Amino acid sequence: MPRNDRTPRSMSRRSYLKATAGGVALTATAGCIGEGLGGGSDTITIGATIPTSGPYGTIGQNQKEGVELAVQHANEDDDAGREVEVVFKDTQTDTQRATQVARDLLNEEGADFLAGNFSSSVALAIGELAQRENVIYTCVGGSNAITGEQCRANVFNAGNSAVQQTSGGLRYALEEGLGESVYEISADYSWGQSIQEWNEAEIVPSYDGVEYLGNTYVDFGATDYSQAITEARNSGADIISFNLFASNHVQSAQQAGDFGLLEDHICVWPATGIVEAEQIGQDILSHENFYASAPWYWEHDTSEAETFADAFYEEYDTRPLGFSASMYAGVRTTLKAISAADGTETDAVRSEMEDRELFPQLWGVGERFRACDHRASIATLTVKGRPGSEVDGQNFFEVLNTPQNPEETQMRTCDETGCSF
């Protein structure tokens, strides 16, 4: 929404609300970080839009806890040079609701920036609002469009893109020489379409002698994958890439096991975490032909990843997801940029965020927010399930590969993104 014409332009929304209406402390995470007009307040308010109910509520709750912990640690370490608070609003993974609650966070709660989310469609919608309202939005979202042809100057994406995710899955399988033909089963929305299109147009053609045999799209929320699995099997492909997320991922993996698909085909999933692992079952995860990529994993072997994972477990008695690690680092990095900019003025914060290394370094590869598209250069891991006898708690995976230079090996070049601010 447009700014209130009576709001002094030298003050942030939050400062104005505090001065005129007593101000309401805000706690919110909305997939990206929001606007600021200047920085006179002694408190930074984050507006967080995260789905804590609906189809992704379990994952959203874990991400919410990642943001809470980021704020706690930011205050302990004085990341922003002033006190930080957060107000949360539930998006329910609905684009219209997400846009409305993000607007409310800015105009009613006085948020200085927006953060949170992991749905691509929601990130695109909130990103459009953040650009129109001139606020920073720090988010997670896999669609290539977010940091591609639909990029926004105020949006910073702390998660990995569809290109990065499939690099840890299908590209790894091809690099290892696990097959010479590929078929895909893809979610029929922005994220799944991004992966499918990149695999067909870029990844498969880059390997001599590898044939692309086709794709079957499935609807969001589908529960029966028998037709798609049959089409994939009948294609005769050596490798089948399941470009599916959350419950779609779980059900497709379980049905692939039921159909015996793993006995004759290499099967890869490009976005796997401990929530999916708990439901899929270790017999499938540990099958020799099951491969997956993970945006991050709590046993990742760096000191800062270990510190974060341990602190998260101590606080919440569960392990952090990759989306939670991304938002933890994304929020703290944004607050560091606010400190460096000496306020919440959007242009100044944006300038400080561009090419800034993420803090802390949870991937340990020098990851940063690229200036050209504002995508974090994080490494996408390749994982396999441990045998059930080796699982103790939530240590479902062993890490097969952690690229040390993901900007060169897992990401589009700046020219390839189509992003222009």
Side-chain angles (χ1 to χ4, degrees):
M1 291 182 67
R3 293 190 189 90
N4 188 320
D5 290 339
R6 293 171 295 173
T7 304
R9 292 189 177 271
S10 62
M11 299 176 70
S12 71
R13 281 189 174 133
R14 172 168 173 75
S15 300
Y16 179 69
L17 288 171
K18 273 189 166 182
T20 59
V24 180
L26 174 61
T27 309
T29 312
C32 289
I33 297 177
E35 158 193 80
L37 302 178
S41 172
D42 60 357
T43 302
I44 300 295
T45 299
I46 303 171
T49 57
I50 294 177
T52 52
S53 65
Y56 298 150
T58 300
I59 297 173
Q61 181 60 38
N62 193 283
Q63 189 182 70
K64 178 177 182 285
E65 291 164 351
V67 174
E68 289 175 343
L69 194 62
V71 171
Q72 176 185 321
H73 290 172
N75 282 326
E76 291 172 357
D77 297 343
D78 197 27
D79 284 1
R82 63 189 82 176
E83 193 73 13
V84 180
E85 61 188 9
V86 58
V87 178
F88 294 91
K89 296 282 188 179
D90 180 9
T91 69
Q92 299 176 3
T93 318
D94 179 86
T95 55
Q96 290 187 335
R97 176 179 171 83
T99 302
Q100 183 58 56
V101 299
R103 185 182 290 118
D104 290 346
L105 287 170
L106 294 173
N107 292 305
E108 296 180 12
E109 304 287 5
D112 293 296
F113 69 83
L114 300 171
N117 170 67
F118 46 86
S119 160
S120 295
S121 59
V122 169
L124 287 165
I126 295 176
E128 182 178 355
L129 173 70
Q131 193 65 32
R132 188 166 62 247
E133 293 293 302
N134 192 31
V135 300
I136 296 295
Y137 173 50
T138 298
C139 64
V140 173
S143 172
N144 295 332
I146 299 170
T147 48
E149 63 273 12
Q150 296 182 53
C151 68
R152 308 284 183 179
N154 291 343
V155 174
F156 289 81
N157 198 317
N160 51 7
S161 70
V163 169
Q164 291 162 279
Q165 289 166 351
T166 194
S167 293
L170 178 59
R171 184 182 291 281
Y172 176 84
L174 293 173
E175 283 288 327
E176 293 297 305
L178 300 180
E180 297 181 347
S181 55
V182 175
Y183 194 91
E184 298 186 87
I185 299 174
S186 306
D188 195 11
Y189 57 88
S190 180
W191 172 77
Q193 293 161 5
S194 289
I195 292 183
Q196 186 277 320
E197 292 165 1
W198 185 257
N199 286 344
E200 181 179 8
E202 300 292 337
I203 288 188
V204 173
S206 69
Y207 291 87
D208 292 338
V210 176
E211 185 178 7
Y212 185 85
L213 298 181
N215 171 72
T216 298
Y217 276 118
V218 295
D219 292 335
F220 172 75
T223 58
D224 182 357
Y225 296 87
S226 58
Q227 180 178 343
I229 289 173
T230 298
E231 291 172 358
R233 168 182 278 157
N234 290 344
S235 74
D238 299 327
I239 302 172
I240 301 172
S241 181
F242 289 79
N243 309 322
L244 303 167
F245 176 64
S247 61
N248 300 79
H249 177 352
V250 172
Q251 291 166 341
S252 67
Q254 291 173 336
Q255 291 175 38
D258 292 342
F259 276 77
L261 204 65
L262 287 158
E263 302 306 317
D264 301 312
H265 305 269
I266 300 295
C267 296
V268 298
W269 280 263
T272 301
I274 59 177
V275 169
E276 291 85 3
E278 286 174 327
Q279 299 175 62
I280 291 170
Q282 215 62 28
D283 286 347
I284 293 174
L285 290 177
S286 61
H287 194 287
E288 63 178 355
N289 287 337
F290 179 99
Y291 292 84
S293 69
W296 185 81
Y297 180 51
W298 68 270
E299 287 191 305
H300 184 44
D301 189 20
T302 71
S303 60
E304 292 184 311
E306 182 179 351
T307 297
F308 165 63
D310 287 349
F312 192 100
Y313 185 79
E314 182 176 351
E315 190 75 21
Y316 302 109
D317 197 31
T318 191
R319 299 298 183 181
L321 303 177
F323 297 137
S324 307
S326 284
M327 281 316 306
Y328 177 88
V331 165
R332 294 200 67 182
T333 302
T334 304
L335 293 170
K336 291 279 189 180
I338 287 173
S339 178
D342 195 26
T344 57
E345 198 278 321
T346 299
D347 289 349
V349 175
R350 182 173 60 243
S351 179
E352 289 293 340
M353 289 183 71
E354 291 181 339
D355 280 332
R356 176 176 287 271
E357 286 196 352
L358 269 62
F359 177 85
Q361 288 276 290
L362 300 184
W363 288 261
V365 295
E367 59 267 17
R368 65 189 176 100
F369 281 125
R370 297 199 307 185
C372 67
D373 63 353
H374 296 177
R375 174 74 71 172
S377 59
I378 62 179
T380 301
L381 316 180
T382 304
V383 299
K384 281 184 68 68
R386 299 181 190 276
S389 61
E390 297 180 10
V391 174
D392 180 18
Q394 294 174 304
N395 63 331
F396 299 109
F397 301 113
E398 58 176 315
V399 178
L400 301 180
N401 184 48
T402 304
Q404 295 303 300
N405 192 353
E407 286 198 59
E408 292 188 5
T409 61
Q410 292 192 321
M411 300 183 73
R412 295 182 292 179
T413 67
C414 291
D415 289 340
E416 287 174 328
T417 65
C419 176
S420 178
F421 295 130

